[in-house]
Coordinates of all heavy atoms in Angstrom, one line a residue:
M1 N 29.4 -61.6 -62.3 CA 29.0 -61.6 -63.7 C 29.5 -62.9 -64.3 O 30.7 -63.2 -64.1 CB 29.6 -60.4 -64.4 CG 29.2 -60.3 -65.8 SD 28.7 -58.6 -66.0 CE 27.3 -58.6 -66.9
P2 N 28.7 -63.7 -65.0 CA 29.1 -64.9 -65.6 C 30.0 -64.7 -66.8 O 29.9 -63.7 -67.5 CB 27.8 -65.6 -66.0 CG 26.8 -64.5 -66.1 CD 27.2 -63.4 -65.2
K3 N 31.0 -65.6 -67.0 CA 31.9 -65.6 -68.1 C 31.2 -66.1 -69.3 O 30.5 -67.1 -69.3 CB 33.1 -66.4 -67.8 CG 34.4 -65.6 -67.4 CD 35.5 -66.6 -67.4 CE 36.8 -65.8 -67.4 NZ 38.0 -66.6 -67.4
S4 N 31.5 -65.5 -70.5 CA 31.0 -65.9 -71.7 C 31.8 -67.1 -72.3 O 33.0 -67.2 -72.0 CB 30.9 -64.8 -72.8 OG 32.2 -64.4 -73.0
K5 N 31.1 -68.0 -73.0 CA 31.8 -69.1 -73.6 C 32.7 -68.7 -74.8 O 32.3 -67.9 -75.6 CB 30.8 -70.2 -74.0 CG 30.0 -70.8 -72.9 CD 29.0 -71.8 -73.5 CE 28.2 -72.4 -72.4 NZ 27.2 -73.3 -72.9
V6 N 33.9 -69.3 -74.9 CA 34.8 -69.1 -76.0 C 34.4 -70.1 -77.1 O 34.4 -71.3 -76.8 CB 36.2 -69.2 -75.6 CG1 37.2 -69.0 -76.7 CG2 36.5 -68.2 -74.5
R7 N 34.2 -69.6 -78.3 CA 33.9 -70.5 -79.4 C 35.1 -70.8 -80.2 O 35.9 -69.9 -80.5 CB 32.8 -69.9 -80.3 CG 31.5 -69.6 -79.6 CD 30.5 -69.1 -80.6 NE 29.3 -68.7 -79.9 CZ 28.3 -68.1 -80.5 NH1 28.3 -67.9 -81.8 NH2 27.2 -67.8 -79.8
K8 N 35.3 -72.0 -80.5 CA 36.5 -72.4 -81.3 C 36.1 -72.5 -82.8 O 35.1 -73.1 -83.1 CB 37.1 -73.7 -80.8 CG 37.7 -73.7 -79.5 CD 38.3 -75.0 -79.1 CE 38.9 -74.9 -77.8 NZ 39.6 -76.1 -77.4
K9 N 36.9 -71.8 -83.6 CA 36.7 -71.9 -85.0 C 37.7 -72.9 -85.7 O 38.8 -72.9 -85.3 CB 36.9 -70.5 -85.7 CG 35.8 -69.5 -85.4 CD 36.0 -68.3 -86.2 CE 34.8 -67.3 -86.0 NZ 35.0 -66.1 -86.9
A10 N 37.2 -73.5 -86.7 CA 38.1 -74.4 -87.4 C 39.0 -73.6 -88.3 O 38.6 -72.5 -88.8 CB 37.3 -75.4 -88.3
A11 N 40.2 -74.0 -88.5 CA 41.2 -73.3 -89.3 C 40.7 -73.3 -90.7 O 40.2 -74.3 -91.3 CB 42.6 -73.9 -89.2
Y12 N 40.9 -72.2 -91.4 CA 40.4 -72.0 -92.8 C 41.4 -72.7 -93.7 O 42.6 -72.4 -93.7 CB 40.2 -70.6 -93.2 CG 39.9 -70.4 -94.6 CD1 38.6 -70.6 -95.1 CD2 40.8 -69.9 -95.5 CE1 38.2 -70.5 -96.4 CE2 40.4 -69.8 -96.9 CZ 39.1 -70.0 -97.3 OH 38.8 -69.9 -98.6
T13 N 40.9 -73.5 -94.6 CA 41.7 -74.1 -95.6 C 41.0 -73.8 -97.0 O 39.8 -74.1 -97.2 CB 41.8 -75.7 -95.5 OG1 40.5 -76.2 -95.4 CG2 42.6 -76.0 -94.2
P14 N 41.7 -73.2 -97.9 CA 41.1 -72.9 -99.2 C 40.8 -74.1 -100.0 O 41.6 -75.1 -99.9 CB 42.2 -72.0 -99.9 CG 43.4 -72.4 -99.2 CD 43.1 -72.8 -97.8
P15 N 39.8 -74.1 -100.8 CA 39.5 -75.3 -101.6 C 40.5 -75.5 -102.6 O 41.1 -74.6 -103.2 CB 38.1 -74.9 -102.2 CG 38.0 -73.4 -102.1 CD 38.8 -73.0 -100.9
A16 N 40.9 -76.7 -102.9 CA 41.9 -77.1 -103.8 C 41.5 -77.0 -105.2 O 42.4 -76.8 -106.1 CB 42.4 -78.5 -103.5
D17 N 40.3 -77.1 -105.5 CA 39.8 -77.2 -106.9 C 39.7 -75.8 -107.6 O 39.5 -75.7 -108.7 CB 38.5 -77.9 -107.0 CG 37.4 -77.2 -106.2 OD1 37.7 -76.4 -105.3 OD2 36.2 -77.5 -106.5
R18 N 39.8 -74.7 -106.8 CA 39.6 -73.4 -107.4 C 40.8 -72.8 -108.0 O 40.7 -71.9 -108.9 CB 39.1 -72.4 -106.3 CG 37.8 -72.8 -105.7 CD 37.0 -71.7 -105.5 NE 35.7 -72.1 -105.1 CZ 34.8 -71.4 -104.6 NH1 35.0 -70.1 -104.4 NH2 33.6 -71.8 -104.2
R19 N 42.0 -73.2 -107.6 CA 43.2 -72.6 -108.1 C 44.2 -73.7 -108.5 O 44.5 -74.6 -107.8 CB 43.8 -71.7 -107.1 CG 45.0 -71.0 -107.6 CD 45.4 -70.0 -106.6 NE 46.6 -69.3 -107.1 CZ 47.5 -68.8 -106.4 NH1 47.4 -68.7 -105.1 NH2 48.6 -68.2 -106.9
T20 N 44.7 -73.6 -109.7 CA 45.7 -74.6 -110.2 C 47.1 -73.9 -110.1 O 47.2 -72.8 -110.5 CB 45.4 -75.0 -111.6 OG1 45.4 -73.9 -112.5 CG2 44.1 -75.8 -111.8
P21 N 48.0 -74.6 -109.6 CA 49.4 -74.0 -109.5 C 50.0 -73.8 -110.9 O 49.9 -74.6 -111.8 CB 50.2 -75.0 -108.7 CG 49.4 -76.3 -108.8 CD 48.0 -76.0 -109.1
V22 N 50.7 -72.7 -111.0 CA 51.4 -72.3 -112.2 C 52.9 -72.3 -112.0 O 53.3 -71.6 -111.0 CB 50.9 -71.0 -112.8 CG1 51.6 -70.6 -114.1 CG2 49.4 -71.1 -113.1
K23 N 53.6 -73.0 -112.8 CA 55.1 -72.9 -112.6 C 55.6 -71.7 -113.2 O 55.3 -71.4 -114.4 CB 55.7 -74.1 -113.1 CG 55.4 -75.4 -112.3 CD 56.2 -76.5 -112.8 CE 56.0 -77.8 -112.0 NZ 56.8 -78.9 -112.4
V24 N 56.4 -70.9 -112.5 CA 57.0 -69.7 -113.0 C 58.5 -70.0 -113.4 O 59.2 -70.6 -112.6 CB 57.0 -68.6 -112.0 CG1 57.7 -67.4 -112.5 CG2 55.6 -68.3 -111.6
K25 N 58.8 -69.7 -114.6 CA 60.2 -69.9 -115.1 C 61.2 -68.9 -114.4 O 60.9 -67.7 -114.5 CB 60.2 -69.8 -116.6 CG 61.6 -70.1 -117.2 CD 61.6 -69.9 -118.7 CE 63.0 -70.1 -119.2 NZ 63.1 -69.7 -120.7
Q26 N 62.2 -69.5 -113.8 CA 63.2 -68.6 -113.2 C 64.0 -68.0 -114.2 O 64.5 -68.6 -115.2 CB 64.1 -69.5 -112.3 CG 63.4 -69.9 -111.0 CD 63.2 -68.8 -110.0 OE1 62.7 -67.7 -110.4 NE2 63.5 -69.0 -108.8
A27 N 64.2 -66.7 -114.1 CA 65.0 -65.9 -115.0 C 66.5 -66.0 -114.5 O 66.7 -65.8 -113.3 CB 64.6 -64.5 -115.1
G28 N 67.4 -66.2 -115.4 CA 68.8 -66.3 -115.1 C 69.4 -64.9 -114.9 O 68.7 -63.9 -115.1
P29 N 70.6 -64.8 -114.7 CA 71.3 -63.5 -114.5 C 71.4 -62.8 -115.9 O 71.4 -63.5 -116.9 CB 72.7 -63.9 -114.0 CG 72.9 -65.3 -114.4 CD 71.5 -65.9 -114.4
S30 N 71.6 -61.5 -115.9 CA 71.7 -60.8 -117.1 C 73.0 -61.1 -117.8 O 74.0 -61.5 -117.2 CB 71.7 -59.3 -116.8 OG 70.5 -58.9 -116.2
H31 N 73.0 -60.9 -119.1 CA 74.2 -61.1 -119.9 C 75.2 -60.0 -119.6 O 74.8 -58.9 -119.4 CB 73.8 -61.1 -121.4 CG 74.7 -61.7 -122.3 ND1 75.8 -61.1 -122.8 CD2 74.8 -63.0 -122.8 CE1 76.6 -61.9 -123.5 NE2 76.0 -63.1 -123.6
P32 N 76.4 -60.4 -119.6 CA 77.5 -59.4 -119.3 C 77.5 -58.2 -120.3 O 77.8 -57.1 -119.9 CB 78.8 -60.1 -119.4 CG 78.4 -61.6 -119.1 CD 77.0 -61.7 -119.7
I33 N 77.1 -58.4 -121.5 CA 77.0 -57.3 -122.5 C 75.9 -56.3 -122.0 O 76.1 -55.1 -122.2 CB 76.8 -57.8 -123.9 CG1 78.0 -58.6 -124.3 CG2 76.5 -56.7 -124.9 CD1 77.9 -59.3 -125.7
Y34 N 74.8 -56.8 -121.5 CA 73.7 -55.9 -121.1 C 74.2 -55.0 -120.0 O 74.0 -53.8 -119.9 CB 72.5 -56.7 -120.6 CG 71.4 -55.9 -120.2 CD1 70.5 -55.4 -121.1 CD2 71.1 -55.6 -118.9 CE1 69.4 -54.7 -120.8 CE2 70.0 -54.8 -118.5 CZ 69.2 -54.4 -119.5 OH 68.1 -53.6 -119.1
I35 N 75.0 -55.6 -119.0 CA 75.5 -54.8 -117.9 C 76.5 -53.8 -118.4 O 76.5 -52.6 -118.0 CB 76.1 -55.7 -116.8 CG1 75.0 -56.7 -116.3 CG2 76.8 -54.9 -115.7 CD1 75.6 -57.8 -115.5
T36 N 77.3 -54.2 -119.4 CA 78.3 -53.2 -119.9 C 77.7 -52.1 -120.6 O 78.1 -50.9 -120.5 CB 79.2 -54.0 -120.9 OG1 79.8 -55.1 -120.2 CG2 80.3 -53.1 -121.4
V37 N 76.6 -52.4 -121.4 CA 75.9 -51.3 -122.1 C 75.2 -50.4 -121.2 O 75.2 -49.2 -121.3 CB 74.9 -51.9 -123.2 CG1 74.0 -50.9 -123.7 CG2 75.6 -52.6 -124.3
M38 N 74.6 -51.0 -120.1 CA 73.9 -50.2 -119.1 C 74.8 -49.2 -118.4 O 74.5 -48.0 -118.3 CB 73.2 -51.1 -118.1 CG 72.6 -50.4 -116.9 SD 72.0 -51.6 -115.7 CE 73.6 -52.2 -115.0
L39 N 75.9 -49.7 -118.0 CA 76.9 -48.8 -117.3 C 77.5 -47.8 -118.3 O 77.8 -46.7 -117.9 CB 78.0 -49.7 -116.6 CG 77.5 -50.5 -115.5 CD1 78.6 -51.4 -115.0 CD2 77.0 -49.6 -114.3
G40 N 77.8 -48.3 -119.5 CA 78.3 -47.4 -120.5 C 77.4 -46.2 -120.9 O 77.9 -45.1 -121.1
V41 N 76.1 -46.5 -121.0 CA 75.2 -45.4 -121.3 C 75.1 -44.4 -120.1 O 75.1 -43.2 -120.4 CB 73.8 -46.0 -121.6 CG1 72.7 -44.9 -121.6 CG2 73.8 -46.8 -122.9
M42 N 75.2 -44.9 -118.9 CA 75.2 -43.9 -117.8 C 76.4 -43.1 -117.7 O 76.4 -41.9 -117.5 CB 75.0 -44.7 -116.4 CG 73.6 -45.2 -116.2 SD 73.2 -45.8 -114.6 CE 73.9 -47.4 -114.7
V43 N 77.6 -43.7 -118.0 CA 78.9 -43.0 -117.9 C 78.9 -42.1 -119.1 O 79.5 -40.9 -119.0 CB 80.0 -44.0 -117.9 CG1 81.4 -43.3 -118.1 CG2 80.1 -44.8 -116.6
L44 N 78.4 -42.5 -120.3 CA 78.4 -41.6 -121.4 C 77.6 -40.3 -121.2 O 78.0 -39.2 -121.6 CB 77.9 -42.4 -122.7 CG 77.8 -41.6 -124.0 CD1 79.3 -41.2 -124.4 CD2 77.1 -42.4 -125.0
G45 N 76.4 -40.5 -120.5 CA 75.6 -39.3 -120.2 C 76.3 -38.4 -119.2 O 76.3 -37.2 -119.4
L46 N 77.0 -39.0 -118.2 CA 77.7 -38.2 -117.3 C 78.9 -37.5 -118.0 O 79.2 -36.3 -117.8 CB 78.3 -39.0 -116.2 CG 79.1 -38.3 -115.1 CD1 78.2 -37.3 -114.3 CD2 79.7 -39.3 -114.1
A47 N 79.6 -38.2 -118.9 CA 80.7 -37.6 -119.6 C 80.2 -36.5 -120.5 O 80.9 -35.5 -120.7 CB 81.5 -38.7 -120.4
W48 N 79.1 -36.7 -121.1 CA 78.5 -35.6 -122.0 C 78.3 -34.3 -121.2 O 78.6 -33.2 -121.7 CB 77.2 -36.1 -122.6 CG 76.6 -35.2 -123.7 CD1 75.9 -34.0 -123.5 CD2 76.7 -35.4 -125.1 NE1 75.6 -33.5 -124.7 CE2 76.1 -34.3 -125.7 CE3 77.3 -36.4 -125.9 CZ2 76.0 -34.2 -127.1 CZ3 77.2 -36.2 -127.2 CH2 76.6 -35.1 -127.8
L49 N 77.7 -34.4 -120.0 CA 77.5 -33.2 -119.2 C 78.8 -32.6 -118.8 O 78.9 -31.4 -118.7 CB 76.6 -33.6 -118.0 CG 75.1 -33.9 -118.4 CD1 74.4 -34.3 -117.1 CD2 74.4 -32.8 -119.0
V50 N 79.7 -33.4 -118.4 CA 81.0 -32.9 -117.9 C 81.7 -32.2 -119.0 O 82.3 -31.1 -118.8 CB 81.9 -34.0 -117.3 CG1 83.3 -33.5 -117.1 CG2 81.3 -34.5 -116.0
V51 N 81.8 -32.8 -120.2 CA 82.4 -32.1 -121.4 C 81.7 -30.8 -121.7 O 82.3 -29.8 -122.1 CB 82.5 -33.1 -122.6 CG1 82.9 -32.4 -123.8 CG2 83.5 -34.2 -122.3
N52 N 80.4 -30.9 -121.6 CA 79.6 -29.7 -121.9 C 80.0 -28.5 -121.0 O 80.1 -27.4 -121.4 CB 78.1 -30.0 -121.8 CG 77.2 -28.7 -122.1 OD1 77.5 -28.0 -123.0 ND2 76.2 -28.5 -121.3
Y53 N 80.1 -28.8 -119.7 CA 80.5 -27.8 -118.7 C 81.9 -27.3 -118.9 O 82.2 -26.1 -118.8 CB 80.4 -28.3 -117.3 CG 79.0 -28.2 -116.7 CD1 78.2 -29.3 -116.4 CD2 78.4 -26.9 -116.6 CE1 77.0 -29.2 -115.9 CE2 77.1 -26.8 -116.1 CZ 76.4 -27.9 -115.7 OH 75.1 -27.8 -115.2
I54 N 82.8 -28.2 -119.2 CA 84.2 -27.8 -119.3 C 84.6 -27.2 -120.7 O 85.2 -26.1 -120.7 CB 85.1 -29.1 -119.1 CG1 85.0 -29.5 -117.6 CG2 86.6 -28.7 -119.3 CD1 85.7 -30.8 -117.3
A55 N 84.2 -27.8 -121.8 CA 84.6 -27.4 -123.1 C 83.5 -27.3 -124.1 O 83.7 -27.4 -125.3 CB 85.7 -28.3 -123.6
G56 N 82.3 -27.0 -123.6 CA 81.1 -27.0 -124.5 C 81.2 -25.8 -125.5 O 80.7 -25.9 -126.6
E57 N 81.8 -24.7 -125.1 CA 81.8 -23.6 -126.0 C 82.9 -23.7 -127.1 O 82.8 -23.1 -128.2 CB 82.1 -22.3 -125.2 CG 81.2 -22.1 -124.0 CD 80.3 -21.0 -124.2 OE1 80.6 -20.1 -125.0 OE2 79.3 -21.0 -123.5
K58 N 83.9 -24.6 -126.8 CA 85.0 -24.8 -127.8 C 84.7 -25.8 -128.8 O 85.3 -25.9 -129.9 CB 86.3 -25.1 -127.1 CG 86.7 -24.0 -126.1 CD 87.9 -24.5 -125.3 CE 88.3 -23.4 -124.3 NZ 89.3 -23.8 -123.4
I59 N 83.7 -26.7 -128.6 CA 83.3 -27.8 -129.5 C 82.2 -27.3 -130.3 O 81.1 -26.9 -129.8 CB 83.0 -29.1 -128.7 CG1 84.2 -29.5 -127.9 CG2 82.6 -30.2 -129.7 CD1 83.8 -30.7 -126.9
P60 N 82.4 -27.2 -131.7 CA 81.3 -26.5 -132.5 C 79.9 -27.1 -132.4 O 79.0 -26.4 -132.3 CB 81.9 -26.7 -133.9 CG 83.4 -26.9 -133.8 CD 83.5 -27.6 -132.4
F61 N 79.8 -28.5 -132.5 CA 78.5 -29.0 -132.5 C 77.8 -29.0 -131.2 O 76.6 -28.9 -131.1 CB 78.5 -30.5 -133.1 CG 79.0 -31.5 -132.1 CD1 78.2 -32.2 -131.2 CD2 80.4 -31.8 -132.1 CE1 78.7 -33.1 -130.4 CE2 80.9 -32.8 -131.2 CZ 80.0 -33.4 -130.4
M62 N 78.6 -29.0 -130.1 CA 78.0 -28.8 -128.8 C 77.6 -27.4 -128.5 O 76.6 -27.1 -127.9 CB 79.0 -29.3 -127.7 CG 79.1 -30.8 -127.6 SD 80.1 -31.3 -126.2 CE 78.8 -31.8 -125.1
A63 N 78.3 -26.4 -129.1 CA 77.9 -25.0 -129.0 C 76.6 -24.8 -129.7 O 75.8 -24.0 -129.3 CB 79.0 -24.1 -129.5
D64 N 76.5 -25.5 -130.9 CA 75.2 -25.3 -131.7 C 74.0 -25.9 -131.0 O 72.9 -25.4 -131.1 CB 75.4 -26.0 -133.0 CG 76.4 -25.3 -133.9 OD1 76.7 -24.1 -133.6 OD2 76.9 -25.9 -134.9
L65 N 74.2 -26.9 -130.2 CA 73.1 -27.6 -129.5 C 72.6 -26.7 -128.3 O 71.4 -26.8 -128.0 CB 73.5 -29.0 -129.0 CG 73.7 -30.0 -130.0 CD1 74.2 -31.3 -129.4 CD2 72.4 -30.3 -130.7
G66 N 73.5 -26.0 -127.7 CA 73.0 -25.1 -126.6 C 72.5 -25.9 -125.4 O 73.2 -26.7 -124.9
N67 N 71.3 -25.5 -125.0 CA 70.8 -26.2 -123.8 C 70.3 -27.6 -124.0 O 70.0 -28.3 -123.1 CB 69.6 -25.3 -123.2 CG 70.1 -24.1 -122.5 OD1 71.3 -24.0 -122.1 ND2 69.3 -23.1 -122.4
W68 N 70.2 -28.0 -125.3 CA 69.9 -29.4 -125.6 C 70.9 -30.4 -125.1 O 70.7 -31.6 -125.0 CB 69.6 -29.6 -127.1 CG 68.3 -29.0 -127.5 CD1 68.0 -27.9 -128.1 CD2 67.0 -29.7 -127.3 NE1 66.7 -27.7 -128.3 CE2 66.0 -28.8 -127.8 CE3 66.6 -30.9 -126.7 CZ2 64.7 -29.1 -127.8 CZ3 65.3 -31.2 -126.6 CH2 64.3 -30.3 -127.2
N69 N 72.1 -29.9 -124.8 CA 73.2 -30.7 -124.2 C 72.7 -31.3 -122.9 O 73.0 -32.5 -122.6 CB 74.5 -30.0 -124.1 CG 75.2 -29.7 -125.4 OD1 75.3 -30.7 -126.2 ND2 75.5 -28.5 -125.6
F70 N 72.0 -30.6 -122.1 CA 71.5 -31.1 -120.8 C 70.5 -32.2 -121.1 O 70.5 -33.2 -120.4 CB 70.9 -29.9 -120.0 CG 71.9 -28.9 -119.6 CD1 71.8 -27.6 -120.2 CD2 72.9 -29.2 -118.7 CE1 72.7 -26.6 -119.8 CE2 73.8 -28.2 -118.3 CZ 73.7 -26.9 -118.9
A71 N 69.6 -32.0 -122.0 CA 68.6 -33.0 -122.3 C 69.3 -34.3 -122.8 O 68.9 -35.4 -122.4 CB 67.6 -32.5 -123.4
I72 N 70.3 -34.2 -123.7 CA 71.0 -35.4 -124.2 C 71.7 -36.1 -123.0 O 71.6 -37.3 -122.9 CB 72.0 -35.0 -125.3 CG1 71.2 -34.4 -126.5 CG2 72.9 -36.1 -125.6 CD1 72.1 -33.8 -127.5
G73 N 72.4 -35.4 -122.2 CA 73.1 -36.0 -121.1 C 72.2 -36.6 -120.1 O 72.4 -37.8 -119.7
F74 N 71.2 -35.9 -119.7 CA 70.2 -36.5 -118.7 C 69.4 -37.7 -119.4 O 69.1 -38.7 -118.7 CB 69.3 -35.5 -118.2 CG 69.9 -34.6 -117.1 CD1 70.1 -33.3 -117.3 CD2 70.4 -35.2 -116.0 CE1 70.7 -32.5 -116.4 CE2 71.0 -34.4 -115.0 CZ 71.2 -33.0 -115.2
A75 N 69.1 -37.6 -120.6 CA 68.4 -38.7 -121.3 C 69.2 -40.0 -121.3 O 68.7 -41.1 -121.1 CB 68.0 -38.3 -122.7
L76 N 70.5 -39.8 -121.6 CA 71.4 -41.0 -121.5 C 71.5 -41.6 -120.1 O 71.4 -42.8 -120.0 CB 72.8 -40.6 -122.1 CG 72.9 -40.3 -123.5 CD1 74.3 -39.7 -123.9 CD2 72.7 -41.6 -124.3
M77 N 71.7 -40.7 -119.1 CA 71.8 -41.2 -117.8 C 70.5 -41.9 -117.3 O 70.5 -42.9 -116.7 CB 72.1 -40.1 -116.8 CG 73.6 -39.7 -117.0 SD 74.2 -38.6 -115.6 CE 73.1 -37.3 -115.7
I78 N 69.3 -41.3 -117.7 CA 68.0 -41.9 -117.3 C 67.8 -43.2 -118.0 O 67.2 -44.1 -117.4 CB 66.9 -40.9 -117.5 CG1 67.0 -39.7 -116.5 CG2 65.5 -41.5 -117.4 CD1 66.1 -38.6 -116.7
S79 N 68.2 -43.3 -119.3 CA 68.0 -44.6 -120.0 C 68.8 -45.7 -119.4 O 68.4 -46.8 -119.3 CB 68.3 -44.4 -121.5 OG 69.6 -44.0 -121.7
G80 N 70.0 -45.3 -118.9 CA 70.8 -46.3 -118.2 C 70.2 -46.7 -116.9 O 70.2 -47.9 -116.5
L81 N 69.6 -45.7 -116.2 CA 68.9 -46.0 -115.0 C 67.7 -46.9 -115.2 O 67.4 -47.8 -114.4 CB 68.5 -44.7 -114.3 CG 67.8 -44.8 -112.9 CD1 68.8 -45.3 -111.9 CD2 67.3 -43.5 -112.5
L82 N 67.0 -46.7 -116.3 CA 65.8 -47.5 -116.6 C 66.3 -48.9 -117.0 O 65.5 -49.9 -116.7 CB 65.0 -46.9 -117.7 CG 64.3 -45.6 -117.4 CD1 63.6 -45.0 -118.6 CD2 63.3 -45.8 -116.3
M83 N 67.4 -49.1 -117.5 CA 67.9 -50.4 -117.9 C 68.2 -51.2 -116.6 O 68.2 -52.4 -116.6 CB 69.2 -50.3 -118.7 CG 69.0 -49.9 -120.1 SD 70.5 -49.7 -121.1 CE 71.0 -51.4 -121.3
T84 N 68.5 -50.5 -115.5 CA 68.8 -51.3 -114.2 C 67.6 -52.0 -113.7 O 67.7 -53.0 -113.0 CB 69.3 -50.3 -113.1 OG1 68.3 -49.4 -112.8 CG2 70.5 -49.6 -113.5
M85 N 66.4 -51.6 -114.2 CA 65.2 -52.3 -113.7 C 65.1 -53.7 -114.3 O 64.4 -54.6 -113.7 CB 63.9 -51.5 -114.1 CG 63.8 -50.3 -113.3 SD 62.2 -49.6 -113.7 CE 62.6 -47.9 -113.7
R86 N 65.7 -54.0 -115.4 CA 65.7 -55.3 -116.0 C 67.0 -56.1 -115.7 O 67.1 -57.2 -116.1 CB 65.5 -55.2 -117.5 CG 64.2 -54.7 -117.9 CD 63.9 -54.8 -119.4 NE 64.2 -56.1 -119.9 CZ 63.4 -57.1 -120.1 NH1 62.1 -56.9 -119.9 NH2 63.8 -58.3 -120.6
W87 N 67.9 -55.5 -114.9 CA 69.1 -56.2 -114.6 C 68.8 -57.2 -113.5 O 68.2 -57.0 -112.5 CB 70.1 -55.1 -114.1 CG 71.4 -55.6 -113.6 CD1 72.1 -56.7 -114.1 CD2 72.2 -55.1 -112.6 NE1 73.3 -56.9 -113.5 CE2 73.4 -55.9 -112.5 CE3 72.1 -54.0 -111.8 CZ2 74.4 -55.6 -111.6 CZ3 73.1 -53.7 -110.9 CH2 74.3 -54.5 -110.8
R88 N 69.3 -58.4 -113.7 CA 69.1 -59.5 -112.8 C 70.5 -60.0 -112.3 O 71.4 -60.0 -112.9 CB 68.4 -60.7 -113.4 CG 67.0 -60.3 -113.7 CD 66.3 -61.4 -114.4 NE 66.1 -61.0 -115.8 CZ 66.5 -61.6 -116.8 NH1 67.1 -62.8 -116.7 NH2 66.4 -61.2 -118.0

């Protein structure tokens, strides 16, 4: 059986006139206050839940909130977690 011929293709080069390069501004590191607030909000949410479990019945305003204490604690922790997405 005869061998088929191998065809050589030229390497593809994209046209230069179709796309103009855009310079992207490099973002610097996050401000130290941002990091402090981010960590503080996460720790505050954790502390809210711990205090709710340990002494929630003895603190009047926490006892009035009832199960909303869980929503407050988790909302604080999740907001701190969402802040980590903008941390550089």
Side-chain angles (χ1 to χ4, degrees):
M1 184 131 224
K3 255 188 164 181
S4 62
K5 293 181 182 180
V6 177
R7 297 182 188 181
K8 291 185 179 181
K9 287 187 175 182
Y12 176 74
T13 55
D17 61 339
R18 298 225 176 164
R19 185 170 179 208
T20 57
V22 177
K23 290 188 178 183
V24 177
K25 183 181 175 186
Q26 288 285 51
S30 294
H31 199 275
I33 293 176
Y34 183 83
I35 298 168
T36 306
V37 169
M38 175 186 69
L39 293 174
V41 168
M42 285 191 279
V43 170
L44 181 65
L46 180 64
W48 189 280
L49 290 176
V50 169
V51 168
N52 180 42
Y53 274 117
I54 294 174
E57 309 250 336
K58 297 175 184 174
I59 302 173
F61 74 91
M62 286 187 101
D64 293 339
L65 287 174
N67 286 337
W68 282 102
N69 286 310
F70 295 111
I72 294 169
F74 282 117
L76 288 169
M77 289 193 301
I78 289 171
S79 63
L81 182 67
L82 290 175
M83 287 177 73
T84 62
M85 289 188 220
R86 294 191 45 101
W87 177 33
R88 292 174 254 124

